[in-house]
Amino acid sequence: MPVGTPVLQGASMARYITITLDKRGVSCTARLLDEAAPRTASAVWDALPLSAPVFHGKYARNEIYTLLPQFTDRDPGKENTTVTPIPGDVCWFTFAGDDLGNPAYGYEAEEQHRATRDAIIDLALFYGRNNLLINGDQGWVPGNVFGEITEGLAEMAAACQDVWMSGARGETLTFARLRED
């Protein structure tokens, strides 16, 4: 650091992640919202990289997400929640193992979670407007907004539309560390 450069006391460095649709080769960059959702942002950051099959939202509308087995010792709880995510929001949802048990959801790999009642973590990216987090079986489903897309949203939105129109089979969604500023 050059002599005379001011040092901000108590200021934290911004942390960035990439979110990638692997098969389609499309990525975007998100800044973690450490100020608004510190527990959730830290839980995700500490567990990266994370990768699993991608799904497209059925109820919420303009959303892609992945379902992961619980990867933290302690759930972050509710923080910076919304039921109306905007384009570029990156959200965390926690479901009990049997919350997604309705066959209409179509989750083939979730049998093990339902059987053991382990928590399921849903990490989601919202790429368009007019989303509403309501589920016919559970009602309102607030999510923790822990990140915001800062680069590549338009390209990712186009790829997300392709997931919707062409299908998600064989596609994975990967969250990985990019950098700390």
Side-chain angles (χ1 to χ4, degrees), residues 15 19 21 35-38 53 62 71 97 115 118 132 135 164 177:
R15 298 187 290 183
I19 304 170
L21 284 166
E35 312 272 316
N62 299 300
F71 54 82
D118 290 341
L132 187 60
N135 176 294
W164 175 248
R177 290 183 183 190

Side-chain angles (χ1 to χ4, degrees), residues 14-95:
R15 298 187 290 183
Y16 293 85
I17 62 173
T18 57
I19 304 170
T20 304
L21 284 166
D22 298 306
K23 186 175 167 184
R24 287 169 173 81
V26 177
S27 292
C28 59
T29 301
R31 182 179 64 84
L32 295 182
L33 301 176
D34 287 304
E35 312 272 316
R39 295 184 311 272
T40 309
S42 289
V44 171
W45 181 263
D46 292 345
L48 296 177
L50 295 165
S51 187
V54 70
F55 299 93
H56 193 283
K58 186 173 183 178
Y59 300 103
R61 196 167 181 180
N62 299 300
E63 169 199 21
I64 60 167
Y65 61 97
T66 192
L67 300 175
L68 300 155
Q70 185 171 349
F71 54 82
T72 62
D73 291 336
R74 186 173 177 188
D75 189 83
K78 294 184 187 311
E79 62 179 0
N80 199 34
T81 59
T82 188
V83 292
T84 55
I86 61 173
D89 278 352
V90 184
C91 295
W92 165 301
F93 303 87
T94 302
F95 295 101

Side-chain angles (χ1 to χ4, degrees), residues 69 97 108-118:
E108 300 160 356
E110 300 317 310
E111 282 297 322
Q112 65 191 24
H113 300 295
R114 285 196 297 276
T116 62
R117 296 189 183 261
D118 290 341

Side-chain angles (χ1 to χ4, degrees), residues 116-170:
T116 62
R117 296 189 183 261
D118 290 341
I120 299 169
I121 307 302
D122 172 338
L123 297 182
L125 180 156
F126 292 86
Y127 64 89
R129 296 176 48 102
N130 301 321
N131 302 295
L132 187 60
L133 302 179
I134 190 164
N135 176 294
D137 295 327
Q138 298 182 19
W140 296 105
V141 184
N144 292 359
V145 182
F146 72 91
E148 65 181 358
I149 304 302
T150 58
E151 296 175 32
L153 181 57
E155 296 83 1
M156 182 59 81
C160 292
Q161 278 294 304
D162 188 57
V163 169
W164 175 248
M165 298 305 294
S166 301
R169 287 224 187 267

